[in-house]
Amino acid sequence: ATVAQGCLPGRYFGGKFQGLGFVLLMIFRALQGLSAGGEIGAVTAYLMEVSPVQTLGMAVCMISIGSQTAWAFASALLAVLNQVLGSEAMLVWGWRIPFLFSALPGALAMWGRNRIRETDAFLLEVRNDEGHKQHVCKSIMELLIHYPLAILIGILGVCCTATMWFAPPFWSINAVLGHLAASDALWVGLCCQLVGLAVTPVAGWCTDRYGVAMTTCVGGMYTILVGFTAYLMLVVDSSRATAYLGVGLFFGLAQGFNGATI
């Protein structure tokens, strides 16, 4: 679905089928979302099964490190392409390059996943298929009955973290800092991803040392404090320096710290 988006008809390529291209774009984006949701859940469960309890936070934060590394690389690639090709060429055809390029890491990921060995705990459960299904249903019911507040907090925490990942480096740059050049906006977004990438292992270490609850609470309080403050900074002074400080640094810290504990 990701690679196919780079081949869709649009205003400057296959204009007669522009409407079809829009419909297919929505479908492919939905498939991307479903894929990402299934991927995160499965990888998290796998890491929790293979990792020692003492380093569970550091192990699970590798998911966030991987995603932020990819985001940083994509932002850097777009920034370089925009400077080399120019804004007009990027609008016409250059934007397709990252989608087509994603075929390489996608193929590598598929090759690696097909060679991952199932954990002993999982194999032990699925030996008896019927018993495994009953155990799964029973576990889900126990979660819903005995831990409804924890489930609600977890869902809301993921929603907040997803908002933190998307809103600062994309919405705030386009809506509040729309006067910045496209290359500047991309570099600010890259700065945000790099700061988050650097902070994520620290948050993973804090999770192992002080617990998920404390780490999540501190990250949430920081996000509330810095989110409103940074937004006011950008509204009052929407200069390039403020963009790097507010979005690149402040939001990057929040992004990395919260992303490690989802």
Side-chain angles (χ1 to χ4, degrees):
T2 303
V3 178
Q5 291 178 62
C7 305
L8 293 177
R11 178 181 300 178
Y12 303 101
F13 176 75
K16 294 182 179 180
F17 302 98
Q18 183 177 349
L20 175 62
F22 177 78
V23 173
L24 291 176
L25 176 63
M26 295 298 102
I27 294 174
F28 290 152
R29 295 294 286 180
L31 291 175
Q32 274 187 307
L34 292 173
S35 175
E39 181 78 6
I40 292 175
V43 172
T44 302
Y46 185 84
L47 289 175
M48 291 181 67
E49 289 182 2
V50 300
S51 304
V53 177
Q54 296 82 359
T55 58
L56 196 57
M58 184 64 72
V60 175
C61 84
M62 291 296 110
I63 301 173
S64 182
I65 290 177
S67 63
Q68 287 179 325
T69 300
W71 280 39
F73 176 78
S75 298
L77 177 61
L78 287 171
V80 171
L81 286 175
N82 188 77
Q83 287 189 335
V84 173
L85 302 177
S87 300
E88 184 176 353
M90 282 294 294
L91 181 63
V92 175
W93 60 272
W95 63 271
R96 300 178 183 273
I97 296 177
F99 289 102
L100 299 176
F101 182 81
S102 66
L104 297 178
L108 180 62
M110 291 181 63
W111 176 84
R113 290 186 187 95
N114 289 331
R115 284 159 177 77
I116 293 179
R117 179 179 173 272
E118 293 291 355
T119 62
D120 294 335
F122 176 79
L123 293 176
L124 185 62
E125 280 198 27
V126 299
R127 283 176 183 173
N128 185 350
D129 187 59
E130 187 64 29
H132 173 67
K133 292 179 181 179
Q134 293 177 357
H135 177 70
V136 171
C137 294
K138 182 179 179 182
S139 299
I140 294 175
M141 292 302 298
E142 289 180 352
L143 282 174
L144 295 176
I145 295 173
H146 299 292
Y147 305 100
L149 182 59
I151 294 174
L152 178 61
I153 293 174
I155 292 174
L156 294 177
V158 172
C159 292
C160 293
T161 302
T163 303
M164 180 56 59
W165 273 345
F166 284 94
F170 299 105
W171 178 85
S172 59
I173 292 176
N174 293 328
V176 184
L177 306 172
H179 63 282
L180 292 180
S183 58
D184 287 329
L186 289 169
W187 288 118
V188 170
L190 173 61
C191 181
C192 179
Q193 300 299 331
L194 291 177
V195 171
L197 180 61
V199 173
T200 298
V202 178
W205 177 83
C206 290
T207 301
D208 289 326
R209 186 175 180 86
Y210 302 107
V212 176
M214 178 61 70
T215 306
T216 304
C217 182
V218 172
M221 289 189 295
Y222 171 80
T223 302
I224 294 173
L225 176 64
V226 78
F228 185 70
T229 304
Y231 179 75
L232 288 180
M233 288 173 52
L234 296 173
V235 172
V236 174
D237 179 16
S238 57
S239 63
R240 181 186 302 175
T242 307
Y244 276 101
L245 181 63
V247 177
L249 179 59
F250 292 160
F251 279 130
L253 289 171
Q255 190 179 93
F257 208 84
N258 289 314
T261 57
I262 61 171

